[in-house]
Amino acid sequence: MKPRDRLRIATQKSGRLSQPGRELLTRSGLSFRESRDRLFCFGETLPIDLLLVRDDDIPGLIAEGTCDLGFVGRNVLEELRLGELRAGRVPAFAELRALGFGQCRLSIALPQEQAWNGPQTLAGLRIATSYPNLLADWLEKNGVEAEVVTLSGSVEIAPRLGKAEAICDLVSSGATLAANQLREVAVIFESEAVLVGPSTAFVDERIALADLLLRRLDGVLKVRDARLLLLQADREVLPAVTALLPGGALPTLSALEGRADAVALQAVCDGEITWQHLEDLKRAGARAMLVLPVEQMLA
Ligand SMILES: Nc1ncnc2c1ncn2[C@@H]1O[C@H](COP(=O)(O)OP(=O)(O)OP(=O)(O)O)[C@@H](O)[C@H]1O
Ligand SMILES: O=P(O)(O)OC[C@H]1O[C@H](OP(=O)(O)OP(=O)(O)O)[C@H](O)[C@@H]1O
Ligand SMILES: [Mg+2]
């Protein structure tokens, strides 16, 4: 059989990671034609196709070589990695990049009225989770003996059904826990979406394409949160204002017509510029502040 010369990326068919994953690829200059069954998308601008699958299947597809890259929650990746290690195998997939979306945490939660006195509170209890390996690992590290009850979904309802006394599930806003009268007591794992790929090198036929895509993704990730900050300030407050620039950005200064004692400043700031940053800058003497997104590639 002829070796596959098109790169294949596995993404979640529908769910929290599908839309942001597609956006990342679009920003990297890729466009796709969707098949009628919506399981495969043919790459139009580059020989890079998408396979739309359940997120839990993505690391396995990479391990067996069906796909070259994938977008998946670090929680899923780590759960499956621990599973491989427990089975005595070396995982054939690895995290290549953090993608900065899908932030959530895997936490232990108890019924609201129940007291929490540290990990030993869980001794002898049944804990429901879809992440048995991550939970078992944490219990072991904390020297707690508890029963892990594995459920594939609707974990938050387990205590009310009498299936468990505690749960270990993903939390973001905490709304789901609150709706189920549960209280978050310990974070056991922090997660976000990641790019997963082979733990060894890419196969020769597709290594150049994989490198190209990684370089484009790096460019997109770098500028995605970057902002151009414009402001004016009197020269005498310039050191204070410059010290407050988010991410320690180096500014460019230009003269203000008719005002020798003041300057205009511009700086490309990596990372978020929050209201707090702007309020601090204003207090230090900055005025006429403007924050703009940076859409072009930063060389
Ligand atoms: N509340 C949340 N906020 C942010 N990210 C989340 C949240 N819940 C889950 N995630 C992240 O998104 C990933 C996918 O979640 P989703 O609920 O869409 O998956 P799923 O139900 O397992 O879907 P699939 O049908 O593909 O198996 C999770 O593995 C996690 O990394
Ligand atoms: O803290 P919150 O903001 O409430 O988010 C947490 C919930 O989000 C996820 O489920 P999702 O909404 O994706 O539904 P699912 O259970 O069908 O995957 C997760 O499994 C929690 O149930
Ligand atoms: Mg899933």
Side-chain angles (χ1 to χ4, degrees):
M1 206 168 76
K2 185 171 157 283
R4 176 161 62 85
D5 54 5
R6 298 179 67 88
L7 197 75
R8 203 178 282 156
I9 308 174
T11 64
Q12 197 187 18
K13 182 172 191 294
S14 59
R16 290 177 178 267
L17 306 182
S18 14
Q19 180 68 14
R22 282 294 280 275
E23 262 170 41
L24 210 54
L25 295 174
T26 306
R27 282 171 172 247
S28 305
L30 274 63
S31 76
F32 302 94
R33 204 172 56 231
E34 236 160 83
S35 70
R36 207 177 290 231
D37 58 8
R38 287 207 65 239
L39 296 176
F40 187 82
C41 297
F42 182 83
E44 294 181 312
T45 40
L46 280 172
I48 301 179
D49 305 322
L50 291 187
L51 204 60
L52 307 183
V53 295
R54 293 274 320 262
D55 63 350
D56 323 61
D57 294 335
I58 292 174
L61 288 166
I62 284 162
E64 70 191 30
T66 306
C67 293
D68 305 288
L69 291 166
F71 297 143
V72 71
R74 186 182 285 135
N75 48 304
V76 169
L77 194 67
E78 186 60 11
E79 174 67 19
L80 296 174
R81 197 185 71 85
L82 290 174
E84 290 293 284
L85 294 177
R86 276 173 190 262
R89 290 188 291 264
V90 179
F93 49 79
E95 174 177 331
L96 303 186
R97 299 288 189 280
L99 299 174
F101 59 85
Q103 282 94 349
C104 57
R105 52 198 189 269
L106 185 64
S107 292
I108 308 266
L110 292 176
Q112 256 155 17
E113 64 284 357
Q114 203 165 317
W116 171 252
N117 299 305
Q120 283 306 329
T121 313
L122 300 167
L125 300 188
R126 293 171 300 166
I127 313 171
T129 190
S130 307
Y131 297 89
N133 294 325
L134 277 164
L135 175 57
D137 196 56
W138 184 85
L139 290 170
E140 221 169 276
K141 282 182 182 141
N142 284 277
V144 178
E145 289 204 18
E147 187 186 337
V148 176
V149 178
T150 307
L151 299 177
S152 59
S154 304
V155 167
E156 288 96 346
I157 208 170
R160 267 191 288 155
L161 297 179
K163 282 174 182 265
E165 289 77 37
I167 69 154
C168 170
D169 200 9
L170 298 177
V171 182
S172 172
S173 66
T176 309
L177 290 184
N180 288 283
Q181 289 97 51
L182 295 167
R183 183 167 69 100
E184 184 177 9
V185 292
V187 176
I188 75 165
F189 192 75
E190 302 268 5
S191 185
E192 67 181 286
V194 300
L195 179 74
V196 53
S199 50
T200 52
F202 290 101
V203 294
D204 283 352
E205 293 80 25
R206 300 185 294 279
I207 199 163
L209 261 183
D211 281 347
L212 172 79
L213 184 63
L214 280 172
R215 260 183 284 123
R216 286 198 186 180
L217 282 174
D218 285 341
V220 171
L221 293 173
K222 186 155 186 237
V223 296
R224 189 184 45 193
D225 302 322
R227 297 286 181 270
L228 177 65
L229 175 64
L230 304 174
L231 59 82
Q232 296 179 5
D234 289 347
R235 280 191 183 278
E236 61 177 23
V237 299
L238 209 51
V241 167
T242 307
L244 287 171
L245 292 177
L250 284 179
T252 306
L253 301 180
S254 33
L256 278 177
E257 190 64 25
R259 285 285 309 271
D261 61 334
V263 288
L265 176 155
Q266 73 173 56
V268 175
C269 305
D270 282 340
E272 221 188 343
I273 299 182
T274 62
W275 278 105
Q276 186 67 52
H277 283 129
L278 296 178
E279 284 152 10
D280 291 347
L281 284 163
K282 194 172 168 71
R283 224 168 289 125
R287 55 182 183 267
M289 283 187 281
L290 198 57
V291 180
L292 300 169
V294 178
E295 292 292 345
Q296 302 306 318
M297 185 167 84
L298 287 178

